[in-house]
Amino acid sequence: MAEQVKKDNQDNIVIRFSGDSGDGMQLAGTLFANISAMSGNDISTFPDFPSEIRAPQGTLSGVSGYQVHIGPKVYTPGDKTDVLIAMNPAALKINVKNLKNSSVVVIDTDSFTKKDLEKALFSTSNPFEELGIGNISVIEAPIGSMVKESLTNSGLEGKDVLRCKNMFALGLSCWLFDRPLNLAESLIRTKFAKKPIVAEANIKVLHDGYNFGANTHASVPTYHIATSTKEKGFYTDVDGNTATAYGLIAAAEKAGMELFLGSYPITPATDILQELAKHKALGVKTMQMEDDIAGICSAIGASFAGSLAATNTSGPGLALKSEAIGLAVMAELPIVIIDVQRGGPSTGLPTKSEQTDLMQALYGRNGESPVAVVAAKSPTDCFDAAFWASKIAVEHMTPVILLTDGYIANGSGAFKIPELENYPSIQPHYIKKDQQNWKPYTRNEETKVRYWATPGTEGFQHRIGGLEKDYTTSIISTDPANHQLMVKTRQEKINAIANFIPIIDIQGDANADVLIVGWGGTYGHLLSAVNEMNENGKKTAFAHFSFISPLPKNTEEILRKYKKIIVCEQNLGQFAGYLRMKIHGLPIYQYNEVTGQPFLVSELVKYFTKIMEE
Amino acid sequence: MSELTYKPFQASDYKSAQAVRWCPGCGDHFLLNSLHKAMANIGIPPHQIAVISGIGCSSRLPYYMNTYGFHTIHGRGAAIASGLKVANPKLSVWQITGDGDCLAIGGNHFIHSIRRNMDLNIVLVNNRVYGLTKGQYSPTSDRGYVCKSAPYGTVEDPFRPAELAFGARGTFFARTVDVDSPVAVEVLTAAAKHKGASVVEVLENCIIFNDGTHSAVSKKEGRAKNAIVLQHGKPMIFGENNEKGLILDGMNLKVVNLGENGVTEKDILIHDETTIDFTLHLKLATMPFPEFPIALGVIRSIKAPTYDEEITVQIKDVQAKNPTRSLKDYLMKGEIWEVK
């Protein structure tokens, strides 16, 4: 390994790989995150890419980024970057607002020609001056030409050669952050296992990048990142969508059920379908249907058959599924509906993230149509959230909507390989063997959950459907008093779930006057902001909701304790409104941002301080 | 279907206790009786049958079956039935659907379940009108049809279900009339025995909103004259005295009279329901009346892999090669690192 000139010992560092959407920045970023995790850092990642597969080369709309935050304690991908890899002028321009003071910027000088600058709408030949950034270290590397030179006679030609540029960037980053190359090498070999020529070319360029750093280090600081003190065990790197898929598989395994996913591709939820489609060895059945409606309908059919059934989608798809969710409410069949929220309304911002589907999840159906709603708080928490959503569905015979979002779905973290014996049991609410006088809507009177008989079981043939049924006989009924009773019963069934889910706990300083409230994927940013507040002597408490319908049993008790409650969410106040409706007279303040981007910890701290001092 | 246990059942074993609430004289009553008889014929026990429906008059049918049943939402029966069949391929799954449910709101699911050759028995009850919403035109109503939603007559052409089924690569198509019990039972039985998506079009009368829509074949006398009941391997002969037949004249079908112009039974086309090429099946299914008879019976029945079987086989194949059976085992074989 080349000698490092100086090593700054750093706690946390944020690096962003940025370039054209064809430059392979997502791969470079992913590999860098994995290498860091394997080296013992906490990681949090944030892929930020355009919805166009290949936007015009070199333009601002085509910039694709992958941000990695590494350090001993990491909850978010970080607000601002310490190191920016800018493969072209557009990438520099797009990311300049998020550069920290005295950060390092790596540029590929071969992509900073006059023409490139024009494509990114620069009017002068000095982009740094034009952008007004002075206090940074720039590493100028002619990456394109060095890669071409290095790969002469490599067996690769033309475009394939230039595709290796991202590995040069990775190699250089490995030098900057003191990462051993052997980890990168083995990951590259696995990635290109079927194309050994490509693998070796990439590895050669990786070394070139590293050596370039070692040879030209003079004025640039390199970093040594402290490692985290994680729980013992085996870890792997997962993004939120993969963790969601794993959570469903784990729940099916725990419950002894077959897993079925009915789906229709939609950004940013498609990866869940693609992940589950791989797991035939584990007996998982997936169907890619003709539309989002058929996706949930096939899952409802599978649920009727007795499977652990799920469907995955994003906002517009959830809208299409509304009527079918209502059917599952009425038929009281278990189903997990995963909504990976994205920017809306309509097609909106498909690759960006929001929390704007909460009201749709809670109320977006005709009739009084209560369902359970659960939200995941981080990429790795998607596992637990999917597990719990499945558990609630089959134990309480109800649709459960699991809300994740584009940010945690694509972001990743170090995931401890779970020991399923440490997870709660899952006991589907099947008919009892000696069940007498059973009718389809015969219920457990305490939980209001009906008993589940699946086709193929002799003696339990029955008919269910979307029409209202009589509470006692289970046959079609339009009786007014019966309808009132059934409407109430379906709601009570959902309310009763509160007795079976964890209570909410307070993080930060529980004795503070100000309580920060959040839900879902904003957890990392809120926790970081709360920690910062408390570290600066500004007492702040924090309650983050994973269970939204029903709310945990102690919600009111907790919320009543605080003088000021700041509900933070990436919408115009949907959870705040929901809390006001459920619990009257709360001193609620709102922090709402709907930019399609994650919160900024610095902005949160600023707002919390302002409210605190008001 | 070797997993199913065969034992003798009576039609009454498939009948539920619930009072039937269709209009008196509605074709659905006849269909229901034929279905009970067909199920007894096939001999699959009631608990191994699931009947799925959408919305419409005929979609009430599951309530009258002593099988598993699911009365779902408008148009989505095929998608729900598909999920059910894939989740439990051992079940005999039936879909009961009307012309609106199947071909308007549910058109997409209909063609895709046929394309996948999902092993469903799709009973398409075609009365060419919306009954439950009280008399609007449907996707199978003739051009010019006058009704409440088209008081001056419709200005659109109808779907012909067979064309959709064949266009979606259908492997089974049959047609029957709501009153013709023997043919109906025969056709429903054949549909159940066919592996793959079987479409049975039931020409049905709506006594309230579209009375007489299939009058050419709904009455016994007319049927003998106006219908041809196709039977595999038999010549295409029809008429009150079996005096007429169908021949190919160039690329087209032609009605001939036996004994006239030297035509004998040997000249008459023999019905082959198993030809992969559906050209002739399509011609038979869409013969214009009254120049031609209306074809009943099994028009097409070909063998092809079914989705539910293929997915089951695929899982078995993967499992034979890959011994991983738990999530933990899978994850431990991946890219992992240990924190000690």
Side-chain angles (χ1 to χ4, degrees), chain B residues 140-177:
Chain B
T140 55
S141 304
D142 283 334
R143 176 181 281 270
Y145 178 67
V146 174
C147 62
K148 287 180 191 163
S149 57
Y152 303 102
T154 67
V155 291
E156 54 191 274
D157 281 322
F159 272 143
R160 293 184 287 191
E163 280 178 315
L164 281 184
F166 295 156
R169 317 181 65 153
T171 57
F172 184 101
F173 187 86
R175 193 187 281 140
T176 182
V177 191

Side-chain angles (χ1 to χ4, degrees), chain B residues 173-239:
Chain B
F173 187 86
R175 193 187 281 140
T176 182
V177 191
D178 58 358
V179 294
D180 195 351
S181 195
V183 174
V185 174
E186 237 168 70
V187 154
L188 291 168
T189 306
K193 288 185 174 164
H194 174 73
K195 279 193 176 187
S198 322
V199 179
V200 177
E201 182 187 9
V202 182
L203 304 180
E204 193 175 278
N205 195 38
C206 175
I207 197 160
I208 307 293
F209 296 109
N210 204 11
D211 195 20
T213 180
H214 300 295
S215 60
V217 288
S218 59
K219 297 201 174 77
K220 214 170 180 180
E221 326 66 85
R223 190 157 56 250
K225 199 168 79 188
N226 300 328
I228 176 167
V229 181
L230 296 170
Q231 284 176 302
H232 181 64
K234 301 270 172 65
M236 299 184 195
I237 290 174
F238 66 105

Side-chain angles (χ1 to χ4, degrees), chain A residues 2 64 158 166 181 202 279 361 374 489 526 588 590 600:
Chain A
S64 166
N166 58 343
L181 288 186
N202 275 294
H279 294 286
V374 176
T489 302
L526 294 175
I588 287 180
Q590 291 178 208
L600 292 175

Side-chain angles (χ1 to χ4, degrees), chain A residues 441-512:
Chain A
Y441 291 92
T442 304
R443 297 169 192 283
N444 173 319
E445 278 305 323
E446 191 192 333
T447 62
K448 306 292 179 193
V449 181
R450 80 177 184 94
Y451 293 92
W452 194 8
T454 56
T457 316
E458 197 166 359
F460 286 88
Q461 292 101 289
H462 64 275
R463 277 65 56 193
I464 53 174
L467 286 169
E468 184 65 285
K469 302 294 190 299
D470 184 83
Y471 187 90
T472 315
T473 63
S474 303
I475 62 172
I476 300 168
S477 165
T478 53
D479 179 74
N482 177 71
H483 181 49
Q484 169 87 19
L485 175 62
M486 289 297 268
V487 166
K488 269 178 63 190
T489 302
R490 285 187 286 265
Q491 183 64 57
E492 281 167 14
K493 181 179 79 171
I494 298 299
N495 297 348
I497 296 169
N499 297 321
F500 302 90
I501 56 174
I503 56 168
I504 190 110
D505 60 345
I506 297 292
Q507 292 174 271
D509 188 339
N511 296 319

Side-chain angles (χ1 to χ4, degrees), chain A residues 233 235 285 290 456-457 463, chain B residues 47 67-68 86 116 335 337 339:
Chain A
Y235 284 79
K285 287 177 178 169
E290 54 272 19
T457 316
R463 277 65 56 193
Chain B
H47 69 272
T67 60
Y68 283 88
V86 169
R116 293 188 185 103
E335 272 169 24
W337 66 91
V339 173

